Amino acid sequence: MIPESGPAPRPKAWLAVARCVGTSCIMLARGQVRQPKDNVGRVLRFADGSTSRVYRETAVRRQPAEPCVLVVAFTLRLVRGRAHRLFEAESILNTPLFVGFPGFVNKLWCAHDTFGAYRGLYEWDGAERARKYASALWRVLELVSVPGSISYKVLPGLRRDEVLADPARIAAAGTDHAWWRLRTQE
């Protein structure tokens, strides 16, 4: 079993990312990846006091048999001021790094928050699949992130849209001031 929040061994992580990129390219060529606009512009508030704007959404047509929410956070190195907008624009190029992982359902891309951290709020099919993805992603993120800033939290049994509609659904999942705990949206 993968630990709750930590990186996969490098060889295993890079092999998983390579497989994902291959699968993603096929999915993109077949038009299986969508960019819905429903949540773009939505502001999310987290229990640590930060807020973040959703700047993109990515989804595939899959209904999860074992839904879970995955929240990933990281702080980019050397990105300040207007460079954040450039990162948001170029980050679409990162899509092949996740849509081809087994179990991916959807992702809300959250802009840097009031503390400078970016977040991804995902829905995944299977908590173990979400952990495997997040631990492999860690190896990609560590190349561009402030050391010690990468974290993830897997919340089994939850659907992303249900959590967005009623953030109290994750109240039982952890501490009151956790960085990953969604409070309310504006």
Side-chain angles (χ1 to χ4, degrees):
M1 182 159 136
I2 305 264
E4 181 60 29
S5 189
R10 281 183 179 86
K12 187 175 182 177
W14 287 111
L15 180 59
V17 170
R19 285 183 183 139
C20 171
V21 170
T23 301
S24 297
C25 289
I26 293 167
M27 293 171 71
L28 288 163
R30 291 179 178 167
Q32 295 174 324
V33 180
R34 301 178 300 116
Q35 298 286 316
K37 304 283 187 222
D38 301 345
N39 290 298
V40 174
R42 179 180 238 172
V43 176
L44 304 178
R45 183 177 305 277
F46 292 88
D48 65 357
S50 65
T51 59
S52 185
R53 171 186 51 82
V54 175
Y55 69 90
R56 182 176 297 121
E57 183 171 358
T58 302
V60 297
R61 296 186 200 288
R62 175 181 291 134
Q63 290 300 315
E66 298 176 38
C68 75
V69 169
L70 167 67
V71 187
V72 175
F74 61 95
T75 302
L76 289 173
R77 248 189 328 253
L78 307 175
V79 176
R80 306 284 179 268
R82 292 183 183 164
H84 285 293
R85 292 286 187 194
L86 291 172
F87 172 76
E88 289 176 26
E90 80 72 33
S91 66
I92 195 155
L93 300 175
N94 298 329
T95 301
L97 298 176
F98 64 87
V99 296
F101 267 89
F104 172 78
V105 178
N106 57 52
K107 174 184 180 181
L108 296 182
W109 305 61
C110 300
H112 67 289
D113 66 18
T114 47
F115 303 128
Y118 282 85
R119 283 189 182 89
L121 182 65
Y122 300 79
E123 183 169 1
W124 218 267
D125 186 8
E128 191 62 21
R129 288 174 165 180
R131 283 185 190 93
K132 286 180 180 179
Y133 159 71
S135 67
L137 174 69
W138 188 297
R139 294 306 185 178
V140 175
L141 290 176
E142 73 183 352
L143 299 174
V144 296
S145 297
V146 172
S149 71
I150 304 166
S151 296
Y152 65 86
K153 180 70 175 173
V154 177
L155 303 163
L158 296 172
R159 302 280 318 244
R160 187 205 63 193
D161 289 343
E162 293 170 350
V163 170
L164 289 173
D166 181 13
R169 292 181 64 90
I170 60 175
T175 62
D176 285 340
H177 302 291
W179 62 268
W180 49 266
R181 188 169 174 232
L182 189 64
R183 286 289 181 135
T184 61
Q185 53 265 330
E186 298 173 346

